[in-house]
Amino acid sequence: MKSIACESKLAPVPARTKQAGEARPGWEWVERTVWTDRMLEALEKGVKGGVWFSLIDKVHRPKVLLQAWQQVRGKGRAVGSDHQSLKQFEEQLEINLIKIEEEVRTGSYRPRPIRRVYIDKPGSKGKRPLGIPAVRDKVVQTALKMVIEPIFEHEFMETSFGFRPGRGCKDALRSVERLLKAGYKWVVDADLKSYFETIGHERLMAELRQRIADSRVLDLIEGFLKQQILEDLKLWTPETGSPQGAVISPLLSNIYLHEVDKAMKMAGYEMVRYADDFVILCQSQSEAEAALARVNELVQERGLSLHADKTSLVNTQQAGASFEFLGYHFEKGTRWPRKKSLKKFKDTIRRKTPRSNGRSLAEIIEDINKTSEGWFEYFKHSHWKTFKPLDGWIRRRLRSILRRYSKGKGISRGRDNVRWPNKYFQALGYFSLYDAHRALLQSSRG
């Protein structure tokens, strides 16, 4: 399953509560109501046996739960199976947090069923399952993540980029570019089949027990893994998987693949992984074949499988050879947006530019600029030929709107380019992808 997180605009991360004094270098992102300098020092030096005890008190600490709520409050508004909204939860915030604290502290906390919905896969007719937890479960999972994430983040490999503090898609893409320029011309383009749905519970819990010995924390995590799914008014209990949409799932997914990352690195392979999407860059065909065999063996050991139709070996020096990674299409020593990324962008612009609407052209341009600017920020390193055709396509849709305003029929054609030249849209503040890219190139050369 290819990750699409990078192609979506992420919500800003809420400010963390900090103690007095500067945060330890490299740990600025941790929740300071949990991770004191003393705990971070112990993490860096290594605790006895490498195992952490007595963590549950930090999960149900009132300050931690309040900070967890602040993070949940700023994110998705879809309601869970209990139909409680963020607003309703907040109306009785103190009562709700006190109840959560008591239930987690006494071990009586039970997750509510996850509401399952299906969302469109960008550029595809397929659907992606998404789990929507109840607000209270989001709060507890966020608090849980605050407590245990640094323990595992301290050990994660440099080759892993997805859902990690201070790392992201652009870092992964830079790593791929660096390796390609360094002579790694063979690429193992791999895809894990239904990764989040096939994570093995027993194997994952075994990985967690290697670093966590607090049984109540482990029970809490296992409870979230086995919480019921509400789908089409039917309840069922999953035997594998960690629901996409659950706060804790990205961290658990990285923990589950950590041993794969480590084994590939120890074997000398250059793997770049973002969640369940990864490529392995090699210097020869034989190395690529061996890397594919090794990673296939490793994922099978964990009850996972590579998608046969979406996994291949690519010789990037061969004419027409290409691979895709994190929304980009790599070919001929350069890259540009993959077809699905272009389709997703165009579909968004289409929704914002119907020929019949009651908005002024300035309002429409302001709206599409928000999409274009965000899209350009991610795909600005594409080949220069990417941008001019897109500008032309967008302006054509704008001219079609103006044609309709003028009682004309059909899409823009004929002398519309003369009637409404590019400068007309520029005067209204139109964000030109081509001009932005040209300015970027001039800045880099300067």
Side-chain angles (χ1 to χ4, degrees), residues 10 56 163 207 236 305 329 415:
L10 300 179
I56 193 66
F163 308 116
E207 300 286 354
W236 57 278
S305 61
H329 178 94
R415 293 180 56 82

Side-chain angles (χ1 to χ4, degrees), residues 321-335:
S322 65
F323 68 96
E324 294 182 347
F325 187 57
L326 299 182
Y328 273 97
H329 178 94
F330 289 80
E331 187 178 347
K332 299 178 182 178
T334 186
R335 55 173 157 146

Side-chain angles (χ1 to χ4, degrees), residues 27 35 79 87 100 108 178 208 213 219 328 331 353 370 408 421:
W27 295 107
W35 286 90
V79 298
K87 182 179 179 180
I100 289 174
S108 60
R178 173 181 59 80
L208 291 165
D219 289 345
Y328 273 97
E331 187 178 347
T353 55
K370 295 175 184 177

